[in-house]
Structures are given as C-alpha cells and as structure tokens.
C-alpha cells in the first residue's frame, strides 16, 4: 500500500465567518477547513495498478478524519475487531472495511449504490497488507498535512496521532 498526496494552490477564497468554536472540531480539523481556502488536495491509496482508492482531501478525508485516525490507532495497537469507514460526501459512496489478521491488515474496498468517479470504475476488492505499512503511510500523510499548515497558514498544529 502506498498513499500519494497531491496539493495544488488555488485562487484564495477566504471565509471570514469560519469559527472553530461553532464548528466544535479539533485544531487539526479546523486547520484543514482553513487550508481548503488555499489549496485543493487529492489522496490516492494505491495497492497496485488496478486497485486504488481516490480521496478528496476536504470532502472525503476531512469528513472521515476521526474514523481514519481511529483506524490508524486500532491497527497500530492491534485491535482486531472488524471496523468500517464509510465515505459518503460529494459523490462518494464507498466503504473501507478493515480487520487485523496477525501482522497483516485485511482491507476491503466496497462500493455503495451511488459511488461517483473515479472510484466507481474500481471493482470491489480485498487486499492483505502489512500493518506497519498501513500505519506508516498514514503517518507520512499526516506529517505532510501538518507541514502545509505551517507553510500556508503559518500555524504549528499538533500531530493528530501523538495522543
């Protein structure tokens, strides 16, 4: 498994009404919302040439942020219960189901009834990957995002997996 992150500058559209208190989100999540005013972002979870999942940084990743963090913590700590992340925003309708099997993670991509492009052309699949690779790929992505907070927002935000 490999996670590829791409961020591109866009025309800045500042929202003067962003309010972390009203949103009730963590510093990391609020910074993601602020970052959306400056960039577009794509995340690709690549397993091989035909098996890859595309995530929008803001509609998919930000919306499912807590479930993604939980998955990384669960996999890192070896919690073996079968869990699921449902990506359901802006044309997404798919699931990533995961379960620990020893030193590996069994990860399943399953389309919902209304999945949009580009994930609609990917057939449902199941892969077995090393748990350490899963964790390190997500940690690298979070590190890249934290660096973008510093560059674009001039903010130093705690790494979400530190606690």
């Amino acid at each position: 498994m490999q996670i590829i992150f791409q961020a591109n500058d866009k025309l800045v559209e500042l929202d003067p009404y962003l309010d972390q208190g009203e949103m009730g989100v963590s510093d990391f999540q609020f910074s993601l919302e602020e970052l959306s005013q400056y960039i577009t972002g794509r995340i690709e979870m690549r397993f091989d040439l035909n098996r890859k999942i595309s995530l929008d940084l803001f509609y998919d990743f930000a919306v499912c942020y807590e479930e993604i963090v939980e998955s990384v913590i669960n996999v890192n700590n070896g919690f073996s219960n079968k869990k699921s992340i449902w990506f359901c925003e802006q044309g997404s309708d798919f699931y990533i189901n995961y379960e620990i099997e020893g030193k590996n993670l069994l990860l399943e991509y399953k389309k919902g009834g209304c999945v949009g492009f580009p994930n609609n052309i990917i057939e449902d699949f199941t892969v077995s990957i090393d748990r350490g690779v899963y964790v390190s790929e997500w940690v690298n992505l979070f590190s890249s995002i934290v660096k973008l907070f510093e560059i674009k927002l001039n903010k130093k935000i705690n790494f979400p997996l530190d606690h």
Side-chain angles (χ1 to χ4, degrees), residues 36-84:
S36 72
Q37 301 173 106
Y38 297 89
I39 68 162
T40 61
R42 301 266 343 135
I43 299 165
E44 185 175 274
M45 298 172 65
R46 189 177 294 172
F47 304 95
D48 61 34
L49 287 176
N50 297 318
R51 295 186 289 190
K52 55 188 171 191
I53 302 167
S54 238
L55 304 174
D56 182 275
L57 179 61
F58 305 108
Y59 296 121
D60 297 318
F61 177 82
V63 169
C64 295
Y65 166 82
E66 291 173 353
E67 292 86 356
I68 293 168
V69 169
E70 179 185 4
S71 81
V72 175
I73 292 169
N74 287 343
V75 170
N76 189 53
N77 293 331
F79 298 142
S80 61
N81 294 345
K82 188 172 186 174
K83 296 277 193 167
S84 187

Side-chain angles (χ1 to χ4, degrees), residues 91-104:
S92 293
D93 180 17
F94 61 89
Y95 300 83
I96 295 178
N97 303 311
Y98 62 96
E99 184 174 16
I100 292 176
E101 290 188 339
K103 292 184 178 188
N104 289 331

Side-chain angles (χ1 to χ4, degrees), residues 10-142:
K10 70 176 195 177
L11 184 62
V12 176
E13 302 171 27
L14 294 179
D15 181 351
Y17 302 107
L18 279 181
D19 184 326
Q20 185 174 359
E22 282 185 18
M23 294 171 71
V25 294
S26 71
D27 291 342
F28 188 94
Q29 290 169 296
F30 185 72
S31 295
L32 265 178
E33 186 65 33
E34 288 180 305
L35 190 62
S36 72
Q37 301 173 106
Y38 297 89
I39 68 162
T40 61
R42 301 266 343 135
I43 299 165
E44 185 175 274
M45 298 172 65
R46 189 177 294 172
F47 304 95
D48 61 34
L49 287 176
N50 297 318
R51 295 186 289 190
K52 55 188 171 191
I53 302 167
S54 238
L55 304 174
D56 182 275
L57 179 61
F58 305 108
Y59 296 121
D60 297 318
F61 177 82
V63 169
C64 295
Y65 166 82
E66 291 173 353
E67 292 86 356
I68 293 168
V69 169
E70 179 185 4
S71 81
V72 175
I73 292 169
N74 287 343
V75 170
N76 189 53
N77 293 331
F79 298 142
S80 61
N81 294 345
K82 188 172 186 174
K83 296 277 193 167
S84 187
I85 304 170
W86 179 31
F87 294 89
C88 59
E89 290 291 322
Q90 301 291 325
S92 293
D93 180 17
F94 61 89
Y95 300 83
I96 295 178
N97 303 311
Y98 62 96
E99 184 174 16
I100 292 176
E101 290 188 339
K103 292 184 178 188
N104 289 331
L105 175 69
L106 194 62
L107 187 142
E108 174 190 39
Y109 164 78
K110 186 154 182 61
K111 290 191 278 192
C114 299
V115 66
F117 186 79
N119 293 313
N120 64 340
I121 61 173
I122 305 297
E123 296 298 321
D124 293 356
F125 65 85
T126 302
V127 293
S128 179
I129 56 176
D130 181 272
R131 286 174 35 207
V133 170
Y134 181 84
V135 171
S136 67
E137 287 294 316
W138 282 110
V139 166
N140 290 341
L141 174 65
F142 281 110

